[in-house]
Amino acid sequence: MSAEEVSQRYTKLQGELEELIVARQKLETQLQENKIVNEEFANLKEDTTVYKLTGGVLLPVEQFEAKGNVEKRLEFIETEIKRCEGNIKTKQQELETAKNQLISMRTQQQQ
C-alpha cells in the first residue's frame, strides 16, 4: 500500500468517525427527550388522558401503553448508543493504525 493510499484511507476513516460521532449525538438528544417524557409520565395521575400524534391527528392512547412505548424506546436508544460507542472506538483504533502507518511510511521516505 502506498503512502497516498494510506493517506486516502486515513481521510476516509476521519469522515466515517465524524459521521459516527454525529449519530451518537443525535441518539443522546433522543435519549434526553425520552427521559423528559418518562419523567412527565411519573407526574401524571392514573386517570389523565394521554394523546399520541399520528400524522396530523392527536389520538388518545392508554397511559400504560404510552409509558411502555417510551420505556422500550429508552432501552432501544441506550442499546444503540452502546453499539455506536463501540463503533467509534473501533474506528478510532483503525484511524490510529492508519496514522502510524502513514508516519512510518513518511519517515522511511525521508531516509
Side-chain angles (χ1 to χ4, degrees):
M1 196 178 269
S2 71
E4 185 177 322
E5 290 171 330
V6 173
S7 179
Q8 289 173 349
R9 182 171 178 266
Y10 182 80
T11 302
K12 180 182 177 222
L13 288 170
Q14 281 181 317
E16 291 171 359
L17 180 62
E18 286 176 23
E19 288 173 12
L20 287 170
I21 290 171
V22 167
R24 167 70 170 80
Q25 290 170 336
K26 287 179 182 178
L27 286 168
E28 186 63 39
T29 299
Q30 290 175 357
L31 180 69
Q32 294 308 318
E33 289 170 351
N34 280 276
K35 281 183 176 180
I36 291 169
V37 171
N38 207 28
E39 289 171 10
E40 288 299 318
F41 278 132
N43 296 329
L44 292 180
K45 296 178 184 174
E46 286 184 35
D47 61 343
T48 303
T49 305
V50 176
Y51 295 90
K52 177 179 181 179
L53 183 62
T54 305
V57 180
L58 284 174
L59 299 173
V61 293
E62 296 293 329
Q63 197 177 118
F64 73 89
E65 182 183 341
K67 283 182 186 180
N69 288 341
V70 171
E71 288 169 4
K72 286 178 190 172
R73 204 173 308 127
L74 283 168
E75 289 174 20
F76 174 78
I77 293 169
E78 288 169 350
T79 301
E80 285 299 301
I81 287 173
K82 287 177 186 171
R83 186 184 63 77
C84 194
E85 287 174 345
N87 290 342
I88 288 171
K89 186 176 181 180
T90 300
K91 199 61 67 180
Q92 286 173 329
Q93 290 168 345
E94 290 176 26
L95 199 58
E96 190 65 28
T97 300
K99 177 180 148 188
N100 291 336
Q101 233 181 346
L102 197 56
I103 290 170
S104 174
M105 291 175 122
R106 288 192 177 157
T107 302
Q108 288 175 357
Q109 286 176 350
Q110 289 175 355
Q111 294 175 351

